[in-house]
Amino acid sequence: KVGGNIGKNFSTPIERAAEDYRKAAMMLYPHVDYLVINVSSPNTPRLREMQNESFLDAIVKSVRMETRDTPLFIKVAPDQWDQYLNGVLNVVAKNQLQGVICGNTLSNHASSRDLNEYDIIKLPQGGLSGGPAFSSNLPLAEAYTGDPRSSFVIGVGGITTVDRGMEYLKRGVNLIQIYTGFIYNGAGFIKDILFKIGELK
């Protein structure tokens, strides 16, 4: 399956963001199997505010105008996720979306439990990815899998080892996505995880 990830332009005010999502969906949906409404990037100004239920519902309705029956996912952020959880799930249920992708890079570097204060001071601005994102994204994914309104959850963030991939699966996610793990482990990393899953059956 091929998915397409859509967001708003960097300079577009969030009050007009739904139109950016609609145009992106219109151009991309004929070429993909599913679309991801990304409201979780830390590098686009105010993007994460659009996890708010009213903003998100407007975006979904705008995208649906163009995409017909294309499966839609919402990609949510690990920072302050609890304040948006209920609203996101309401939008998923009301619009009969395919599911939720949890989560993304960390805007608040200090929220990672894998870094000490010295490590955090050295970091540049921007989203923090890789291993340090694991401790924040895992509870995010678990919260969404624990609610019946989210029928399908994809876990992502900090999966740098087989055991970390298995932790997501143990918390109830339906699929996992891997980025940094490929860099450290190579393409065989997928085989290692599948082998581990096979051992549990």
Side-chain angles (χ1 to χ4, degrees):
K1 298 290 184 180
V2 176
N5 187 72
I6 59 175
K8 82 173 187 70
N9 288 319
F10 187 86
S11 59
T12 301
I14 61 173
E15 293 77 16
R16 299 206 305 268
E19 183 65 7
D20 278 8
Y21 283 89
R22 185 190 69 80
K23 290 177 180 178
M26 177 180 65
M27 297 175 68
L28 197 55
Y29 92 90
H31 309 290
V32 298
D33 298 295
Y34 66 92
L35 283 170
V36 180
I37 296 173
N38 190 340
V39 285
S40 62
S41 170
N43 302 317
T44 304
R46 302 186 66 190
L47 184 73
R48 290 184 169 185
E49 292 179 36
M50 290 188 296
Q51 294 172 103
N52 172 278
E53 184 172 354
S54 60
F55 275 123
L56 192 54
D57 193 52
I59 291 169
V60 170
K61 285 179 167 54
S62 184
V63 169
R64 271 286 179 236
M65 291 171 59
E66 304 292 344
T67 58
R68 302 179 188 140
D69 298 323
T70 302
L72 294 180
F73 288 85
I74 296 173
K75 186 175 176 72
V76 296
D79 298 287
Q80 292 86 47
W81 58 265
D82 51 334
Q83 71 185 42
Y84 298 113
L85 174 69
N86 190 61
V88 172
L89 288 170
N90 284 341
V91 172
V92 169
K94 180 167 66 173
N95 294 282
Q96 298 181 316
L97 303 188
Q98 194 72 30
V100 183
I101 300 179
C102 306
N104 209 319
T105 57
L106 298 178
S107 178
N108 177 16
H109 299 172
S111 65
S112 173
R113 299 184 199 128
D114 299 320
L115 298 174
N116 58 43
E117 187 175 0
Y118 179 70
D119 291 330
I120 293 170
I121 291 172
K122 292 190 300 180
L123 289 171
Q125 290 186 339
L128 177 63
S129 62
F134 175 77
S135 59
S136 294
N137 281 290
L138 184 64
L140 165 69
E142 186 173 25
Y144 275 91
T145 60
D147 194 291
R149 289 172 290 178
S150 56
S151 58
F152 200 95
V153 177
I154 299 174
V156 58
I159 303 176
T160 55
T161 66
V162 170
D163 287 342
R164 286 189 167 189
M166 297 307 297
E167 276 300 311
Y168 274 97
L169 295 170
K170 289 175 184 176
R171 306 299 172 97
V173 304
N174 301 94
L175 292 174
I176 56 175
Q177 288 181 351
I178 300 166
Y179 295 94
T180 310
F182 281 128
I183 298 172
Y184 292 106
N185 302 288
F189 190 41
I190 295 290
K191 182 179 178 181
D192 295 338
I193 290 178
L194 292 175
F195 182 79
K196 186 68 173 182
I197 292 172
E199 285 185 333
L200 300 178
K201 293 183 177 180

